[in-house]
Each structure stands twice: as C-alpha cells, then as structure tokens.
Amino acid sequence: RSTLFPYTTLFRSSIVGMDTNGRKNRTGHVMEDLVESYLIKAGLVKGKTYFKEMYASDVEKRFHLDLSKLSNDGKAEKRFDFVFVGALGTVFACECNFYGSGGSKLNETARSYKALTLESKEISGFQFVWFTDGIGWNTAKHNLEETFDVLDNLYNLNDLENGAITSIEDRKSVV
C-alpha cells in the first residue's frame, strides 16, 4: 500500500464543503502539494531536479531551451506549476489542477492545454505534462478527450499512485 494513498483520499474528500469562490485556489494548491509529494517519492530533489512555479523565461535560461513558441515570441509569460528533468535530460513542464465541479473553466483549460501541447511538440528536449482530476471532468469529457488525443503526458491521481512520475521521467523526448 502506498504511503501517499491517505493524502489522495483526504484530497478527494476535502473539496466537500468548500465555498465556490475559494474552492479553485484551495483545491489547486492541494493538488500541487499532492503532485509535489509524488515528485519527491520518485526521487526528485527540489531546486536540483525539480522546480516549483517556474516561468518559461527561467526555464529557457536554466535549461538553454527556446520556448518562444509557447510565449507568443516573448509577448506572454507562461508560469508552470512544476518543471523537472527526466533521467535522459528531457525537461518536463507541468500544470496541475483539480475540478470538483463542472463549468466553462474546464473547457477553456482543456483547449488551452491542447494548444500548449501542440506548440511544445516542436521544441526538442521539452515536453508538457498535465496532472488533473476531479468529478468536474464528468461534464467536460469531450474537451478532455480532444486534449488526451494530442497530449501524451496527461495523468490523473490514480496514474500518480501507480508510478506515472517514474514512467514520465524515463521517457526520451521525441522531436
């Protein structure tokens, strides 16, 4: 039994009773904390092999990558929840979110991450990863499926429990 299982159960339970206005930020931070615990469990070290809340410009400087395709040629600054380096040197930039209810935000996020995925496929040594979960996706399955069709690195909490980080980390970038 995974030692992280109680965190997953607690997280899924914690959205009950949260007010609508605060739910997004609180569940988002809890999801980030949960993903971070899996990064650590996979042996990644904060500040060395993984980084939290990193802007695309910082990713470019640290890893000598050109991410201008993601930033509209420098006109928009993207911030990733996590960035980590795989065993083979690929840089993985991650977004994390959890949706306890449906709504337009899910659809817009799925569309946005689909575009981000297509843009990132042209960058050698770089891959986009999305960790998401929640019952909200039950109302937005079509948009999630469209993104799933183009995004190789789309994972939920169950995937994390079953070693998704290690699986991602061992993969070589294909460009």
Side-chain angles (χ1 to χ4, degrees):
R1 180 178 171 175
S2 169
T3 58
L4 295 175
F5 179 75
Y7 293 115
T8 305
T9 304
L10 176 64
F11 177 67
R12 288 182 174 151
S13 302
S14 69
I15 62 165
V16 176
M18 287 187 176
D19 66 288
T20 304
N21 293 330
R23 185 179 310 147
K24 177 186 170 266
N25 287 337
R26 287 189 294 239
T27 58
H29 291 300
V30 173
M31 183 70 168
E32 286 177 20
D33 291 345
L34 186 58
V35 169
E36 186 169 19
S37 72
Y38 284 102
L39 292 170
I40 293 166
K41 182 180 178 188
L44 297 170
V45 178
K46 188 173 187 176
K48 292 188 179 190
T49 52
Y50 88 88
F51 305 87
K52 190 169 183 175
E53 297 182 352
M54 193 172 205
Y55 284 96
S57 59
D58 296 325
V59 174
E60 288 180 311
K61 290 174 196 166
R62 178 173 286 278
F63 301 108
H64 310 289
L65 293 170
D66 177 6
L67 303 183
S68 59
K69 287 178 174 43
L70 306 182
S71 66
N72 194 18
D73 293 320
K75 296 175 187 160
E77 179 76 282
K78 174 71 182 145
R79 183 188 61 83
F80 298 102
D81 293 328
F82 294 100
V83 174
F84 68 91
V85 182
L88 300 173
T90 300
V91 175
F92 297 93
C94 311
E95 288 291 333
C96 312
N97 46 50
F98 187 93
Y99 294 101
S101 61
S104 60
K105 178 69 175 165
L106 287 84
N107 295 324
E108 185 54 38
T109 299
R111 279 194 285 286
S112 173
Y113 290 173
K114 179 181 177 181
L116 184 59
T117 297
L118 295 172
E119 293 163 352
S120 68
K121 286 187 180 220
E122 299 178 28
I123 302 169
S124 182
F126 179 86
Q127 290 189 30
F128 177 63
V129 181
W130 184 16
F131 300 107
T132 190
D133 210 324
I135 59 172
W137 284 113
N138 291 338
T139 63
K141 288 179 185 176
H142 179 70
N143 291 71
L144 185 60
E145 183 179 4
E146 280 185 24
T147 305
F148 184 79
D149 288 343
V150 298
L151 178 54
D152 297 328
N153 297 316
L154 175 57
Y155 302 98
N156 63 20
L157 292 172
N158 188 57
D159 296 327
L160 286 166
E161 289 176 24
N162 290 309
I165 299 290
T166 303
S167 172
I168 298 166
E169 198 185 13
D170 292 337
R171 226 181 279 148
K172 189 172 186 173
S173 180
V174 181
V175 174

